[in-house]
Amino acid sequence: MAKYIFVTGGVTSSLGKGIIAASLAKLLQSRGFSVTIQKFDPYINVDPGTLNPYEHGECYVTEDGAETDLDLGHYERFLSSYTSQANNVTTGRIYQTVINRERAGDFLGKTVQVVPHITDEIKRRMLQLGKEGKYDLVITEIGGTVGDIESLPFIEAVRQIQWELPDDDVVVIHLTLIPYLRAAKELKTKPTQHSVKMLSETGVHPDIIVARTEEPLGNDIKRKIALFCNVKPEAVIEAMDAPTIYEVPLAMLREKLDVITMRKLGISVYPEPNLENWKAFLDKLKYPKSKVTIGLIGKYVELQDAYKSILESFIHAGAMNEVKVQVVNVHSEFITEENVAEKLDGLDGLLVAPGFGVRGIEGKISAVKYARENGLPFFGICLGMQMAVIEFARNVLGLKEAHSTEMDVNTPEPVIDMMEEQKKIKMMGGTMRLGAYPCEIVEGSLAHKIYGKTSISERHRHRYEFNNKYLDQFEHNGMSASGTNPETGLVEIIEIPSHPYFIGVQYHPELKSSVEKPAPLFVHFIAAAKAYNEGRIAVKNPLLQSEMI
Ligand code: GLN
């Protein structure tokens, strides 16, 4: 049976519960434990798939095709292991299950209530992964902030689990903020005291307090928090702001968060942590040898969380190449044929981002054209790949009205079109082509060089596809389909062999990049940008020239 670690948050949102949970998981994993992390979100949406990125940032997709919270991305990037639908549960999903059971007559005769029916369903899901026998430890992050009306049933479920299971099977970690008042030159513990009090009123007492702070806490403040919040002084963990999220596991190691957690869980025998790979990555990240500048073309660029996995993939790939990747956000809505050269001046590579809907589309197409014509390394992801196809159709094949039926249902040249099975679908949530699909790669292609093999699997999230009716026309004119789905023949990868580096993928490689296993497409794109930056533009394939890892 697994042991359970719960992480709650107090004082404010955005304190980085996900990063603290992932860091603790990393430390425990580095000591040989099998760990997973799950997130319980208090909102009513059944999953975040229908949310605009402006609401909660990107929607992260798992292998099994679940549309989940972006924190699951952090879990995978830190642990290099996969999560699934079971790792992300919302209030909406809990109620949906309970209501479906009520309609099926499962509770016949009974009044269905928040306690015990909703809380029972929450508990069932909180304990589920631990019962599979795969994990020694299950970390559960409770979304939201203690005191929110909507998180109450989750806290109540934690209380019941704490009461039901043996004392050393459950530990509760509360993450709070210790604000620094500049005028008074003082760190303030009162908000933390209040938030622990509020948590305790609901019957849950934290075993460990992790205090986010801009200034070192010092022993006096730690003792004060410990005394007023009724935890041992060593169970007050300082979490200073870090220059990168990837430093946090080491900071938590220094503060002994893992050791104190294990002590609370009655684990007394454990090996030293093996963090060699992690530290090697951090060294490369901190001491890059050069810099590349990548343009990220999207319509949500003002909101960093909208492209979280892409930005993190650049960090992993940059470290691999020992370069600093500077990402310049270019808003696709403001790119025109006239200003594109000026907007993209000085870039070493161009990434056209995923997205939905018509806004900013023509700007993306102009950006692709510029990269294609100027030999600038190009990488298109999902909608970005579709834009590369449309641009090629319009400007090379001469199909001036080529478009995606997503943007223009009546286009006479639907080079990107909706999949047949998608046309029947009326419901929005969870109905796209989602999750992992296999892809067969053409030998000798750029994709083959990048992956080093011909069979791969990557994750998807889209409704539209390359229209195979046009495939011959594209291939005869210089754009090839170098990766296809072996069962359906759907085009997964396009490239232009005569261009120094031009590749577009229908799937989302950023979803599988982790610190210890960076996504090959990002690693090679950054290598190509580095080569471009070094002035080797004329080299046909920069991959052959640059030192690859
Ligand atoms: N809107 C496009 C589609 O549905 C692309 C989706 C994406 O970029 N994730 O096919």
Side-chain angles (χ1 to χ4, degrees), residues 57-61 68-77 246 296 303-317 351 354 379 381 459 508-514 519 522:
E58 87 174 1
C59 171
Y60 187 78
V61 180
T68 71
D69 185 80
L70 59 73
D71 271 342
L72 271 78
H74 289 310
Y75 307 162
E76 292 202 4
R77 287 188 282 272
Y246 299 110
L296 172 66
L303 184 82
Q304 290 296 293
D305 274 359
Y307 301 112
K308 194 85 210 159
S309 294
I310 290 177
L311 296 176
E312 297 304 324
S313 302
F314 277 139
I315 292 175
H316 310 154
L351 185 142
F379 183 14
I381 299 183
R459 298 184 199 167
H508 292 266
E510 73 276 20
L511 299 174
K512 276 172 65 171
S513 187
S514 70
F522 280 86

Side-chain angles (χ1 to χ4, degrees), residues 354-356 381-383 386 406 461-464 508:
F356 294 84
I381 299 183
C382 208
L383 185 70
Q386 297 175 357
E406 178 181 6
R461 183 172 189 253
H462 58 108
R463 288 185 207 283
Y464 295 83
H508 292 266

Side-chain angles (χ1 to χ4, degrees), residues 227-249:
L227 178 65
F228 286 108
C229 300
N230 197 24
V231 297
K232 295 283 180 230
E234 67 270 18
V236 177
I237 305 291
E238 169 189 287
M240 287 272 288
D241 294 354
T244 135
I245 55 170
Y246 299 110
E247 294 264 6
V248 180

Side-chain angles (χ1 to χ4, degrees), residues 52-205:
N52 184 317
Y54 288 119
E55 297 280 319
H56 283 274
E58 87 174 1
C59 171
Y60 187 78
V61 180
T62 55
E63 284 289 288
D64 62 346
E67 296 183 293
T68 71
D69 185 80
L70 59 73
D71 271 342
L72 271 78
H74 289 310
Y75 307 162
E76 292 202 4
R77 287 188 282 272
F78 274 54
L79 295 181
S80 284
S81 64
Y82 295 156
T83 54
S84 69
Q85 179 64 75
N87 295 72
N88 192 197
V89 177
T90 66
T91 294
R93 192 169 290 275
I94 299 283
Y95 272 78
Q96 191 183 49
T97 311
V98 173
I99 291 169
N100 286 346
R101 287 188 55 204
E102 187 274 333
R103 294 289 81 186
D106 281 8
F107 306 109
L108 267 193
K110 289 269 178 264
T111 308
V112 181
Q113 294 178 295
V114 173
V115 183
H117 302 99
I118 294 297
T119 47
D120 277 354
E121 180 57 19
I122 296 175
K123 283 195 294 180
R124 188 183 71 76
R125 288 179 182 261
M126 281 178 170
L127 300 176
Q128 187 180 322
L129 284 172
K131 287 185 175 158
E132 284 178 6
K134 277 197 299 204
Y135 303 108
D136 305 315
L137 299 158
V138 176
I139 302 182
T140 304
E141 179 192 346
I142 312 285
T145 310
V146 165
D148 296 346
I149 292 175
E150 50 187 20
S151 56
L152 273 175
F154 293 105
I155 304 289
E156 169 60 12
V158 175
R159 184 191 72 79
Q160 292 183 20
I161 289 176
Q162 219 176 10
W163 180 79
E164 283 164 15
L165 295 189
D167 279 353
D168 60 7
D169 276 0
V170 182
V171 59
V172 176
I173 299 174
H174 189 55
L175 176 65
T176 72
L177 175 72
I178 306 289
Y180 180 72
L181 293 194
R182 228 155 273 289
K185 295 198 176 59
E186 258 188 284
L187 285 160
K188 290 295 183 189
T189 64
K190 194 73 81 190
T192 294
Q193 294 178 39
H194 281 301
S195 112
V196 171
K197 194 170 156 206
M198 207 169 332
L199 185 59
S200 301
E201 277 167 8
T202 55
V204 174
H205 191 73

